[in-house]
Amino acid sequence: MQLPTHVTIKEVGPRDGLQNEKTHLSTTDKVQLVNLLSHTGLNYIEVTSFVHPKWIPQLADAVEVLQAIKRQKNITYAALVPNMRGLERALQAEVDEVSVFMSASESHNQSNINKTIKDTFPIIEEVVTGAKVAHKNVRGYISTVIGCPYEGYIQPEKVLRVTEKLLEMGIDEISLGDTIGVGVPTQVESLLNELLKRYPVEHFAMHFHDTRGTALANILKSIEMGITKFDSALGGLGGCPYAKGASGNVATEDLLYLLDGMGIKTGVEMNKVLEAAFFIEKKLGKIVASKQMAIVRNERSAIQ
Ligand code: HMG
Ligand code: MG
């Protein structure tokens, strides 16, 4: 397999991770988490989400968090934005990059953002235009690219249709989300074959939830197909509250173990990611799911 020399890790823990937690962290703790992550070597952190606070109460303090973090020069601090009201709030908080989102499957789109796919396009287009006027890059998430909690397997053509529209709008990068973590490498291959026939690989990042333990296998398949950008969340936190059965993202530290071991550079330091993961574990008052954290936790308790 031809390996890339470098892979970019996009940390989505403060957003995808915290949006699905029963425990609501204080604004101060969220700020501290982002500040810890800012010293790991990551150059992309999705900090929060400007969705409706009633839909995701965990992130209702999005403006306050984004305004209070200590920004590092070479890091992009991004946030999720569903519509113009969200964009207004995100710009007020001086977001660096805007992430719009929708689904490849009609029923998840409806349950997550209360619209049909057709009615979502003009809303996203308005956000993209507004963000570009404000000189912000726009990332576009497509959810349920392999499986939907309501519709089952999703044909790659459905993902292609949404991709076409989003790229036409001038979105810079598409993150393909296996929202409920059902995909396996052969399905990832079919999906990417369909998309890469038409679009350069640089347009795409992958966003794997690890519900069934297939995320790293899917990442390896994606690397084999030329993808070099991956979303992950420290501790393996995450999930979409509007996708039944969705659980954590691939853990940043487990992804890092894989990439470090294969000699692929990321610029991210394992020890510092683990430090941030221990911080969040303590604040959430629960054991996080990552394999690396389990190893270090056992080592630490053996020493004590
Ligand atoms: P809606 O109720 O249809 O909104 O929700 P609306 O446009 O009809 O507006 C209703 C009221 O909400 C209005 O207020 C708006 O101003 C207000 P009123 O005039 O009645 O007083 N409003 C807002 N207030 C604050 N911020 C806003 C906002 N928007 C409207 N942004 C909406 C539509 C999209 C807002 C709602 O469905 C929503 O917030 N959904 C978000 C759900 C969500 O966050 N899901 C998780 C993130 S996606 C994910 O995790 C997947 C991903 O990780 C990739 C993967 O894993 O696949 C990205
Ligand atoms: Mg997600």
Side-chain angles (χ1 to χ4, degrees):
M1 192 200 304
Q2 179 80 24
L3 295 179
T5 53
H6 187 274
V7 153
T8 301
I9 298 181
K10 302 206 164 189
E11 174 61 50
V12 297
R15 190 279 302 171
D16 199 324
L18 299 185
Q19 75 182 11
N20 203 36
E21 288 296 329
K22 275 196 218 90
T23 307
H24 294 204
L25 249 57
S26 70
T27 304
T28 311
D29 287 343
K30 290 174 191 166
V31 169
Q32 198 176 340
L33 172 64
V34 175
N35 288 346
L36 282 171
L37 289 168
S38 295
H39 289 97
T40 55
L42 285 161
N43 57 22
Y44 190 100
I45 303 174
E46 197 173 71
V47 176
T48 186
S49 170
F50 292 94
V51 296
H52 198 300
K54 276 200 195 130
W55 284 63
I56 306 282
Q58 291 91 332
L59 303 180
D61 57 356
V63 171
E64 290 81 356
V65 173
L66 204 52
Q67 282 178 338
I69 55 171
K70 195 159 182 284
R71 298 188 191 208
Q72 303 299 321
K73 262 202 225 110
N74 51 350
I75 302 181
T76 299
Y77 294 97
L80 227 57
V81 169
N83 53 20
M84 286 307 274
R85 177 77 193 100
L87 182 65
E88 264 169 48
R89 296 170 57 218
L91 294 178
Q92 179 200 343
E94 297 191 42
V95 75
D96 292 336
E97 181 170 301
V98 166
S99 296
V100 294
F101 60 103
M102 62 182 295
S103 308
S105 67
E106 197 62 61
S107 28
H108 182 254
N109 202 72
Q110 191 72 53
S111 78
N112 198 36
I113 49 177
N114 209 20
K115 305 267 176 315
T116 62
I117 288 180
K118 187 166 167 277
D119 290 346
T120 303
F121 290 129
I123 294 172
I124 290 191
E125 190 155 23
E126 227 187 335
V127 173
V128 176
T129 306
K132 295 275 174 185
V133 167
H135 305 289
K136 305 293 176 189
N137 275 351
V138 185
R139 184 171 212 238
Y141 279 106
I142 305 178
S143 289
T144 61
V145 296
I146 293 174
C148 167
Y150 314 101
E151 295 173 31
Y153 179 66
I154 298 298
Q155 294 290 343
E157 295 77 56
K158 287 195 175 173
V159 184
L160 178 64
R161 252 173 267 152
V162 177
T163 302
E164 271 169 358
K165 291 270 192 194
L166 296 186
L167 288 177
E168 268 169 32
M169 290 178 200
I171 287 178
D172 305 288
E173 177 180 298
I174 303 285
S175 175
L176 300 165
D178 181 11
T179 318
I180 53 169
V182 284
V184 295
T186 43
Q187 293 167 331
V188 172
E189 186 172 20
S190 306
L191 171 66
L192 286 177
N193 270 335
E194 190 68 28
L195 298 174
L196 299 181
K197 262 191 265 171
R198 291 162 177 84
Y199 299 107
V201 71
E202 292 71 32
H203 278 307
F204 299 101
M206 305 301 288
H207 178 107
F208 290 113
H209 284 260
D210 199 28
T211 318
R212 291 163 183 79
T214 55
L216 286 180
N218 291 337
I219 286 173
L220 199 57
K221 173 53 74 182
S222 309
I223 288 177
E224 192 183 315
M225 299 191 70
I227 302 280
T228 57
K229 292 177 282 193
F230 295 95
D231 302 349
S232 62
L234 80 166
L237 300 175
C240 174
Y242 298 99
K244 199 165 156 267
S247 70
N249 289 80
V250 64
T252 305
E253 55 273 27
D254 292 344
L255 173 59
L256 198 52
Y257 179 82
L258 179 85
L259 297 173
D260 283 349
M262 294 199 303
I264 300 173
K265 292 194 171 40
T266 60
V268 183
E269 285 180 59
M270 176 69 93
N271 283 344
K272 294 192 174 165
V273 173
L274 290 171
E275 197 188 314
F278 274 111
F279 170 82
I280 201 67
E281 182 166 87
K282 193 163 159 225
K283 293 296 173 184
L284 291 173
K286 68 168 206 184
I287 300 289
V288 298
S290 89
K291 303 273 189 293
Q292 288 304 305
M293 280 291 282
I295 291 165
V296 179
R297 212 182 291 113
N298 286 342
E299 282 169 1
R300 287 189 183 180
S301 65
I303 292 166
Q304 280 161 8

